[in-house]
Amino acid sequence: MKTSDFDYFLPEEQIAQTPAEPRDHARLLVYHRADNTIEHKHFYDVVDYLRPGDALVINETKVIPARLLGVKEDTGVPVEILLLRRQSANDWEALVRPGRRLKPGTWVSFGEGLLRAEIMDNVQEIGGRVVRFHYEGVFEELLDKLGEMPLPPYIHEKLENKELYQTVYAKQEGSAAAPTAGLHFTPELMEKVREKGVTIVPVLLHVGLGTFRPVKEEDVDKHVMHSEFYEVTKEAADTLNAIKQAGGRIVCVGTTSVRTIETAAADDGTIIPGSGDTAIFIKPGVKVKAVDALITNFHLPQSTLLMLVSTLMGRDEALATYNTAVKEGYRFFSFGDAMMIE
């Protein structure tokens, strides 16, 4: 299986630069696996495709303003640090630019010294550094003041309102990117989901480096996923297992929710509570043990996320559906339109 097997053509003008307003007015492509048919709807119609007794699994992670722009203290050279994973109170794994100039022992200043960073060890796994912060006050408050939302490189417009890159149900800070399928939900739409008799079940996966790193290996099996922190509480696991036993479906919002559920699932589909690091890579040939349906955005060509989608619906069907979405003028990627695979 080759990475190039998951390629498709996308005109640049169909890469969404801003989210739909209101959030739930994005378009929704519904793919029915039972008969390989497609419907074109709006996202607020998603309630019609949920059934009483289903579980809607959401990822409660909250994006931090993880992009810091500063200067090298000894030379004034501009520096960018992208925070990925917290190791301790003041130490973070991060991507740094320019990497060749930020060797261990280098000091960086942000906000005219309000926040300072000492470059520590190299992190071979991510090609980055451990960064140790020095400051007075509360780190999160300084980060909120000095940091920017780490938008993907294909979004060229500056985000004036940070909340647009945050789901309405985000609670637990720690992600370097948003679980973007969830951006389409409004509080009102969430209430309609509940009124339908659907149970909303929160899980957690802090989105990390995998979002920013393309697949560089042509042989898909040689690609190594970067690990990310996940958590499925006992309450969530018990709820999901009860719903499955009663004949309900597990409908995941976003590929991060799928990866969390499948990490926690036993071979028979039972959800086991737990937390820790996951580097699960869901690709064609991997058994999907517990997830029944997926609400997701349209993903980059040759990405692990497109491979996950192809696992649920078949590679040929996935690429054919993506080509249909291109022809129909759907908007793609983080701020783009959505798709439901049921």
Side-chain angles (χ1 to χ4, degrees):
M1 189 164 50
K2 297 179 180 179
T3 300
S4 55
D5 291 337
F6 297 88
D7 201 9
Y8 67 92
F9 174 72
L10 178 69
E12 188 172 347
E13 60 268 21
Q14 285 180 246
I15 300 175
Q17 296 298 310
T18 55
E21 291 187 32
R23 288 173 181 247
D24 60 357
H25 280 53
R27 295 175 71 188
L28 176 69
L29 184 153
V30 183
Y31 177 79
H32 303 280
R33 286 182 287 180
D35 56 6
N36 194 27
T37 58
I38 290 172
E39 292 183 87
H40 301 290
K41 299 288 183 175
H42 286 93
F43 195 82
Y44 49 73
D45 296 317
V46 74
V47 179
D48 297 337
Y49 299 91
L50 299 172
R51 305 169 191 163
D54 282 349
L56 186 72
V57 179
I58 60 172
N59 181 4
E60 282 192 325
T61 191
K62 190 171 187 177
V63 187
I64 59 172
R67 184 170 179 252
L68 286 164
L69 303 176
V71 294
K72 199 163 169 267
E73 288 193 347
D74 56 351
T75 63
V77 169
V79 168
E80 177 180 339
I81 292 181
L82 177 64
L83 305 181
L84 291 176
R85 182 198 291 247
R86 196 170 201 160
Q87 288 189 338
S88 63
N90 297 320
D91 290 3
W92 287 77
E93 292 179 16
L95 297 180
V96 300
R97 289 197 301 183
R100 65 187 181 281
R101 297 195 182 187
L102 295 175
K103 294 181 170 57
T106 304
W107 284 79
V108 179
S109 177
F110 307 95
E112 298 182 345
L114 279 177
L115 183 65
R116 301 175 70 217
E118 181 183 2
I119 306 300
M120 308 297 287
D121 304 325
N122 294 327
V123 184
Q124 297 298 332
E125 181 189 6
I126 65 171
R129 306 280 191 275
V130 173
V131 178
R132 177 167 295 165
F133 288 101
H134 301 260
Y135 55 91
E136 291 185 5
V138 180
F139 178 77
E140 287 75 14
E141 291 178 1
L142 288 170
L143 190 63
D144 194 52
K145 180 178 181 179
L146 300 173
E148 297 180 1
M149 283 300 192
L151 296 179
Y154 50 76
I155 294 178
H156 307 301
E157 293 191 20
K158 187 175 176 65
L159 190 65
E160 298 299 333
N161 180 1
K162 290 181 182 179
E163 292 306 307
L164 292 177
Y165 195 56
Q166 208 79 267
T167 63
V168 296
Y169 46 74
K171 284 188 178 180
Q172 301 191 49
E173 291 188 337
S175 271
T180 53
L183 295 177
H184 300 294
F185 281 95
T186 64
E188 294 78 15
L189 186 57
M190 297 291 283
E191 187 54 38
K192 288 181 180 178
V193 169
R194 294 185 185 93
E195 291 172 356
K196 184 77 180 272
V198 175
T199 303
I200 296 173
V201 181
V203 297
L204 181 69
L205 186 134
H206 286 323
V207 187
L209 183 63
T211 294
F212 300 94
R213 281 285 161 88
V215 179
K216 293 182 178 178
E217 301 281 357
E218 175 59 5
D219 182 348
V220 170
D221 291 333
K222 292 182 179 179
H223 177 70
V224 178
M225 296 284 284
H226 180 66
S227 62
E228 297 162 312
F229 178 81
Y230 85 96
E231 181 179 43
V232 177
T233 65
K234 185 178 186 303
E235 181 183 1
D238 289 348
T239 300
L240 291 170
N241 289 330
I243 284 170
K244 287 285 276 190
Q245 288 168 9
R249 300 177 302 168
I250 293 181
V251 181
C252 282
V253 178
T255 55
T256 62
S257 296
V258 173
R259 294 181 64 237
T260 303
I261 293 300
E262 291 299 312
T263 295
D267 285 340
D268 65 356
T270 302
I271 308 300
I272 310 297
S275 64
D277 290 338
T278 179
I280 189 171
F281 185 7
I282 300 173
K283 57 193 174 184
V286 171
K287 178 187 175 185
V288 177
K289 298 171 287 188
V291 173
D292 298 298
L294 170 63
I295 298 165
T296 186
N297 282 15
F298 293 97
H299 304 293
L300 275 72
Q302 301 189 22
S303 65
T304 60
L305 303 182
L306 180 53
M307 294 173 192
L308 185 154
V309 168
S310 297
T311 309
L312 289 172
M313 58 189 296
R315 184 190 72 93
D316 291 345
E317 289 80 3
L319 292 177
T321 302
Y322 267 53
N323 288 329
T324 296
V326 171
K327 290 176 184 174
E328 292 288 334
Y330 278 75
R331 302 162 75 240
F332 276 60
F333 306 161
S334 293
F335 284 148
D337 295 317
M339 173 181 181
M340 181 172 184
I341 304 165
E342 67 141 25

